[in-house]
Amino acid sequence: QVQLVESGGGLVQAGGSLRLSCVASGMIRKIGDVGWHRQAPGKQRELVALITSGLVTNYEDSVKGRFTISRDNSKNTVYLQMNGLKPEDTAVYFCNAQILERTSNWYSRWGKGTQVTVSS
């Protein structure tokens, strides 16, 4: 069974930084596109940043210039560096990855999330 585990969330003051990590483990042959999503209370989950297997990145408009997504395939890990944090960035952040598993099937896997709280 493949698992995604997020870490790095916490409480930070406005203007501060956090780096989130998403580590995949289990019977993995290849990791494709990976996205960081967030869900604030009472709001729908939204895609914040995406990185493809070819290292193409894409960002939601409100985080462009502040967040950077990257990946280390040797560690099965994707990062989200968040700078210039704002109170409106407060949410639970989830990792989602397209994974080719040892069964030779592709699956979309989600982590359980990590809380990010930005105080004003």
Side-chain angles (χ1 to χ4, degrees), residues 4-73:
L4 298 181
V5 178
E6 302 97 334
S7 63
L11 173 63
V12 64
Q13 288 188 334
S17 298
L18 286 173
R19 189 176 83 153
L20 306 184
S21 298
C22 171
V23 180
S25 62
M27 301 176 72
I28 299 168
R29 293 181 60 185
K30 183 179 180 180
I31 301 176
D33 298 353
V34 181
W36 280 99
H37 302 247
R38 67 186 179 189
Q39 187 166 20
K43 295 188 177 181
Q44 288 190 331
R45 190 173 297 190
E46 63 175 352
L47 176 63
V48 173
L50 178 76
I51 186 166
T52 70
S53 56
L55 303 182
V56 176
T57 59
N58 200 3
Y59 299 92
E60 194 268 331
D61 285 346
S62 70
V63 308
K64 284 180 180 177
R66 300 188 297 123
F67 290 10
T68 303
I69 190 170
S70 61
R71 64 194 291 165
D72 184 341
N73 290 332

Side-chain angles (χ1 to χ4, degrees), residues 2-7 21-24 34-37 39 45 92-97 99 108-114:
V2 171
Q3 289 188 324
L4 298 181
V5 178
E6 302 97 334
S7 63
S21 298
C22 171
V23 180
V34 181
W36 280 99
H37 302 247
Q39 187 166 20
R45 190 173 297 190
V92 179
Y93 283 71
F94 299 89
C95 175
N96 170 246
I99 297 178
S108 178
R109 299 293 186 187
W110 287 87
K112 294 183 178 180
T114 184

